[in-house]
Each structure stands twice: as structure tokens, then as C-alpha cells.
Amino acid sequence: MNRGICASRELFSLRECLAVLIALSALLILGRQPAAAQECARCATGEAVPEISTSEWLLTKQVNEVNVLFIAARKGSPVDGLGQSDISVRDDDKVPAAISGFRTERELPLRVGVAIDTSSSVRSRFRFEQAAASAFFRQALNRQGDMGFVLGFGNRITVTQDFVGDPELLSRGVEKLSVGGGTAIYDAIRAACQRMVQRREDNLVARVLVVLSDGQNNTGEVSLQGAIDAAQQAEVTIYAISTNYASISRSAIWGRDLAADEGNSNLRKLAEQSGGHVLLPAEPNDVAKAFAKIGTELRSRYAVSYKPADFTPDGRYRKIKIEGRKSGEKLEIRARKGYYARAASWLSFDSTPAD
């Protein structure tokens, strides 16, 4: 009899313990529900919270919304005061699905690279070119947030000053360049564009590359079209300053320097396809004026952002055409000619550029 009572009591105590444990568990679950709801408010509405991959991020930033910087000119002089209604945009021969932004570039921070030809052929005039490039940095990078870098190219590519906002440090970077070797201009342009893209930016910036060279590529792996593709994909505008001055070389035929003509043609293609401009100084002393003209033009450009219609990331080349009118008069528009509809920027995943 006593044993039965004891067993009943033990069973009752066990049941009590289980009930207490269940009650405590219920309280803990109920207590966590509000926190879980706060941590996943979007889950409560049934909306998924997917993880965004690097490829998808690049698609959103670099393809779904296209940013084009352009200059509007009348008889060679920049035109100020344009509004969105003064321009029309066509992408792949279609009106964009939406224009998401229009502004003057003077509001945008500059990212300016200066790529200087250091091949043996420039030795006699290199000091003039260095002095002009140093003065350009002091003129162009004059706003909070502007940054630049210095790149020299002969047989190989050398970065003597990476991105920095101090014109004096950039000037010292120019002074560190030394002469010698061949001319790998297309490799240098691709490397500079890689450097622009690999620097992540939270806001829209104006990417500009100033190339000082004779344009006569004689070494390296990248082709002229490869350099153009790199600039268009990275949204880099190329301004080229030719060092094919007016002197007559041994290769001249009937007063024409065929090598210089070819080099200038290469520089013109690089500049025009990326929305920039080529300048042809008559002598080394005029290089400073060419740099000054570029510095003035950089603050006279506009930026338009839009979402392309019927966009598919199929790698196909899509042409861009911008037209402008002011007071009924058609304007000259300089902008990059197009881009490749890739899901991610191929420049972002290549190896790090040479230093």
C-alpha cells in the first residue's frame, strides 16, 4: 500500500515537472515571436529577401541603368544651360524606357587618369610634357572629392601615383616617370580602365582618361578595338593629346609623315568612340594649352542616365545616339558611341593592373 502511494506521488511529480517545462517553452516561443517579426518584417508580408550576388549588383549598376556623359557644342564652343527637354536619346535605335537623371557634370566628382607615353621616341620633349601634365592636375582637380592617378607606359605599365586628391602628389607622380622602351598604348588604356572600374563608388562620378602619346602602338597584347571596348564598358571618356608635332620625319612622303597620320588616326578613334576629343598641338610648347582646354571642357559636360528599352544581357553591342537643340539650332554632341549588353563588367574580374 505504501509502495503504491509513493509510486503515485512520483508519477504526479513527474507530470508536474513536464507541465512546468512545457509552459516555460511556450513562454519562450511567444516571447521570441515579436523579435523575429521585427528582424524579418519583409518575411511577414511574404516578400523574399534574396542574397544579391556581385554579378547582379554589377548588372543593376552598370547595365540596367546607362550613364552617358556628353558635351554639347556650337561651332566648337561648349554650350551651357541645357535642360533635359533640349536633348533626345536613342539606345539601340529605341527611345529609352525611362530617363532617370539629367545633370551638368560640374556637379560630379572627377576621376581623372593621365596616361603618359614614356617610350624612347619622346625623350627630347618629355620635360615639356611632364610640366604640362602637372599643371593640368592643379587646374582640373579643384573641387572636394576630385581624384586622379598617374600612369606611364612604354614596354610595360607603371603607376607612379594611385588615386589621390592632392595635385602636388600627382605632380610628383608625373616627375617619377622615366623614358625608355616601346609603346604599349592599348594595354595602358585597358589597365587604366580596369583601375577606374575596380574603385567602387557609392555615387555617380565622371571617369576621364587623358592620353598623351603619338598613338603608334608597337608592343603589348591589346588591340585598338580592345582598348575602345574597355573604355566604353568602363564608361571612361578618353581625351587624347597627340605628340606627333609638326616636324618632318625620315618616313615623310610628299611632306606627309605616314606614321604620324596613322598614330593620329588611332588617337582620334579612341577619343571619338568614347565621347572624348583629340587635340593636335603644333609643338611641345602647345601641350600645356591642350591640357588647359581639356580641363575647361571637363566642367562643361552633361550627364544623362536612363533605362534602356527591351534590354537583354546578351553581349550584343548597343549603339547610343544623343541629339540636342538649343533655340531651334542643332548642336554638336560628343558622347560615347555605345556599350556591350553584358550582365557584368568583364573588366571587374580581370587580374589587377600592373603597378
Side-chain angles (χ1 to χ4, degrees), residues 237-240 266-278:
T237 302
I238 296 175
Y239 283 87
N266 294 337
L267 294 175
R268 185 172 289 105
K269 290 173 183 175
L270 287 165
E272 289 179 353
Q273 289 295 316
S274 65
H277 187 49
V278 63

Side-chain angles (χ1 to χ4, degrees), residues 114-118 126 129-130 133 150-153 174 177 210 212:
V114 172
I116 300 178
D117 187 341
T118 60
F126 192 58
E129 296 168 2
Q130 284 180 302
V150 180
L151 180 151
F153 61 93
V174 173
L177 293 172
V210 182
L212 181 64

Side-chain angles (χ1 to χ4, degrees), residues 107-133:
E107 301 167 4
L108 300 180
L110 288 175
R111 298 293 176 264
V112 180
V114 172
I116 300 178
D117 187 341
T118 60
S119 61
S120 299
S121 61
V122 304
R123 192 180 303 275
S124 62
R125 55 196 186 261
F126 192 58
R127 288 299 172 191
F128 288 100
E129 296 168 2
Q130 284 180 302

Side-chain angles (χ1 to χ4, degrees), residues 29-46:
I29 291 170
L30 290 171
R32 291 187 62 184
Q33 282 182 343
Q38 290 175 0
E39 291 172 2
C40 192
R42 293 174 66 184
C43 297
T45 65

Side-chain angles (χ1 to χ4, degrees), residues 212 240-246 279-288 290:
L212 181 64
I241 300 176
S242 171
T243 59
N244 294 310
Y245 306 117
L279 295 98
L280 307 172
E283 57 184 41
N285 285 334
D286 292 336
V287 173

